């Protein structure tokens, strides 16, 4: 039930705060120690020489973020693959691969095809899914819940943040994150609420930057590049504004020729290592007439940025950055009088290959 909300998408964006709390309660005990992750899962991952994250759409994008946690905290090289590609062009695998499937529904046919192949080849696997008792959770060796509650809107929102959180918790459980993750997640949830409480700012940004526009861009580097592709998918799938999301450094290798007077370019700027470079890339598109809308982290913010995100651990910034992107997509779609929850040509769960 949508309750007081006009659309499920808005309700589900709001629920991300509760989901973050729920996950830290479920996966951590009162002493901030991991619970509810079987030792067998942890030893199976520790025994692997390489992790393969396989997923589609938004879940694939959550994998791009998770890769960072697994590599940084466990030291195990991690690859992220699109299910529909992996299914028919399986890359050369390492000696001891471990597969992690990410899925909201647990029924995505492309991912099921990969899991079938993986089971036949005898490799160990784990599914992180929102719908437990789904095919992907039943057929993998292990499964962990995303606990996001039913997600009804076709555009995935809370399943994405839940996937990122569970990936972080799992990587922390296997390796050593050197941070008090339970506490960091609690702080992040508080800041998610702060952003959500400022919804109107994103309504204004969406209307000013996107009304009448046919195309848009999201750029960033590192974790911001990972969120940029999700931000672009969100905007294009419901508003039908053709949006590209990619690594800011790639602009100069071709895409910058698309920039015209007034082209909206959203820049995500939360990673200190590359902030200076991204500022340079923003200046380059601005010089060619782009309307740059900068969403920055507090520590890296400059006067004139469109929205300044509260500061949390840099590795957890994707949990904040995605919220403005979800809200901008939502309000741009409302502004076009389109059905936010049910974009044309799409199904909530894609059960055909
Ligand atoms: O249920 P899944 O997470 O496996 O679904 C994967 C994609 O079909 C899904 O994320 C899709 O990209 C969403 N419509 C994105 O908002």
């Amino acid at each position: 039930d949508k309750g007081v909300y006009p659309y499920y998408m808005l309700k589900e964006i709001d629920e991300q705060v509760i989901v973050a709390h729920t996950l830290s309660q479920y996966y951590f005990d009162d002493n901030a120690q991991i619970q509810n992750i079987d030792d067998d899962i942890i030893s199976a991952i520790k025994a692997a020489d390489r992790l393969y994250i396989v997923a589609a759409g938004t879940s694939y994008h959550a994998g791009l973020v998770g890769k960072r946690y697994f590599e940084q905290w466990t030291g195990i090289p991690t690859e992220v693959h699109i299910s529909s590609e992996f299914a028919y062009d399986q890359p050369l695998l390492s000696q001891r691969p471990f597969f992690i499937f990410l899925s909201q529904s647990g029924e995505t046919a492309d991912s099921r095809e990969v899991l079938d192949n993986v089971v036949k080849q005898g490799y160990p696997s784990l599914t992180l899914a929102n719908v437990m008792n789904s095919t992907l959770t039943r057929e993998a060796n292990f499964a962990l819940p995303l606990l996001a509650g039913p997600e009804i809107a076709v555009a995935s929102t809370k399943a994405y943040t839940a996937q990122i959180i569970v990936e972080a918790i799992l990587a922390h459980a296997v390796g050593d994150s050197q941070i008090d993750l339970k506490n960091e997640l609690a702080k992040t949830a508080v800041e998610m609420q702060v952003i959500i409480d400022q919804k109107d700012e994103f309504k204004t940004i969406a209307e000013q930057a996107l009304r009448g526009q046919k195309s848009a861009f999201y750029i960033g580097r590192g974790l911001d590049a990972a969120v940029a592709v999700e931000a672009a998918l969100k905007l294009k799938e419901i508003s039908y504004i053709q949006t590209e999301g990619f690594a800011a450094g790639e602009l100069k290798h071709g895409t910058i020729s698309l920039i015209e007077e007034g082209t909206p370019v959203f820049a995500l700027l939360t990673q200190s290592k590359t902030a200076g470079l991204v500022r340079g890339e923003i200046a380059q598109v601005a010089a060619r007439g782009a309307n740059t809308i900068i969403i920055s982290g507090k520590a890296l913010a400059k006067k004139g940025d469109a929205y300044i995100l509260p500061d949390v651990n840099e590795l957890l910034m994707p949990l904040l950055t995605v919220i403005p992107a979800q809200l901008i997509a939502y309000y741009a779609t409302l502004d076009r009088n389109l059905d936010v929850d049910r974009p044309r040509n799409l199904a909530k769960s894609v059960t055909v290959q």
Side-chain angles (χ1 to χ4, degrees):
D1 177 27
K2 292 199 289 267
V4 296
Y5 290 92
Y7 284 102
Y8 281 107
M9 184 182 179
L10 194 62
K11 175 172 181 268
E12 291 162 5
I13 290 171
D14 277 12
E15 283 170 354
Q16 292 178 110
V17 180
I18 309 167
V19 174
H21 280 301
T22 308
L23 286 170
S24 40
Q25 297 296 313
Y26 180 79
Y27 284 113
F28 289 101
D29 66 18
D30 291 344
N31 300 317
Q33 299 303 304
I34 293 288
Q35 61 180 5
N36 290 324
I37 300 182
D38 254 23
D39 287 344
D40 289 355
I41 299 181
I42 295 176
S43 6
I45 296 178
K46 279 188 176 155
D49 63 354
R50 191 170 284 257
L51 307 180
Y52 293 82
I53 299 177
V54 182
T58 288
S59 297
Y60 167 72
H61 296 155
L64 298 176
V65 175
K67 169 185 162 79
R68 180 65 62 91
Y69 305 145
F70 287 111
E71 293 200 328
Q72 197 153 322
W73 295 344
T74 73
I76 307 171
T78 303
E79 297 180 14
V80 193
H81 291 273
I82 294 173
S83 313
S84 59
E85 284 297 306
F86 198 101
Y88 300 97
D89 278 304
Q90 183 171 299
L92 184 63
L93 301 178
S94 65
Q95 294 291 310
R96 298 186 310 280
F98 184 88
F99 284 83
I100 300 175
F101 290 86
L102 299 179
S103 181
Q104 191 286 127
S105 62
E107 298 298 345
T108 298
D110 290 325
S111 303
R112 287 173 56 183
E113 180 70 23
V114 179
L115 180 56
D116 270 356
N117 298 340
V118 163
V119 170
K120 279 186 201 131
Q121 293 168 83
Y123 297 128
S125 55
L126 159 71
T127 295
L128 310 184
N130 200 29
V131 182
M132 291 304 272
N133 266 316
S134 53
T135 311
L136 286 170
T137 63
R138 279 187 273 108
E139 294 181 357
N141 298 100
F142 309 105
L144 290 172
L146 298 174
L147 303 176
E151 191 184 65
I152 310 292
V154 165
S156 181
T157 53
K158 60 180 180 171
Y160 173 80
T161 42
Q163 282 167 343
I164 290 176
I165 293 170
V166 178
E167 288 176 296
I169 293 172
L170 184 62
H172 170 88
V174 173
D176 180 7
S177 70
Q178 305 268 1
I179 60 173
D180 177 354
L181 188 61
K182 183 180 187 184
N183 186 38
E184 296 289 341
L185 285 172
K187 274 198 270 179
T188 306
V190 170
E191 303 300 2
M192 288 165 101
Q193 186 65 59
V194 170
I195 302 170
I196 285 171
D197 288 342
Q198 294 174 350
K199 282 191 182 68
D200 285 352
E201 295 204 25
F202 304 109
K203 181 169 188 284
T204 310
I205 291 175
E207 290 170 4
Q208 285 177 353
L210 295 168
R211 189 173 286 167
Q213 295 292 338
K214 286 206 168 62
S215 65
F217 296 86
Y218 266 97
I219 60 168
R221 282 186 182 231
L223 284 173
D224 291 329
V227 178
V229 287
E230 169 58 10
L233 175 60
K234 223 69 316 163
L235 182 57
K236 69 182 132 186
E237 87 175 306
I238 59 174
S239 75
Y240 316 145
I241 298 169
Q242 185 162 4
T243 312
E244 279 197 53
F246 59 93
E250 271 293 285
L251 278 169
K252 58 182 178 296
H253 297 292
T255 316
I256 200 162
S257 68
L258 294 170
I259 304 295
E260 295 175 355
E261 200 57 43
T263 303
V265 178
F266 295 90
L268 308 178
L269 204 140
T270 70
Q271 302 295 307
S272 46
K273 206 165 58 178
T274 49
L277 289 165
V278 178
R279 287 278 173 200
E281 281 134 7
I282 294 167
Q284 285 160 18
V285 292
R288 286 159 182 85
N291 173 23
T292 55
I293 304 105
I294 304 171
I295 299 171
S296 55
K298 202 167 165 192
L300 305 169
K302 288 209 170 142
K303 199 162 163 273
D305 289 355
Y307 187 80
I308 297 171
L309 298 160
D311 262 341
V312 298
N313 187 299
E314 256 187 36
L315 287 170
L316 299 178
M317 281 306 278
L319 296 168
L320 300 188
T321 323
V322 76
I323 296 173
Q326 293 167 343
L327 287 166
I328 289 166
Y330 175 81
Y331 286 115
T333 305
L334 269 193
D335 197 42
R336 285 168 193 238
N337 291 315
L338 296 167
D339 184 338
V340 173
D341 286 341
R342 284 184 303 165
R344 68 189 178 207
N345 310 337
L346 288 172
K348 179 62 186 162
S349 172
V350 185
T351 52
V352 290
Q353 283 186 53

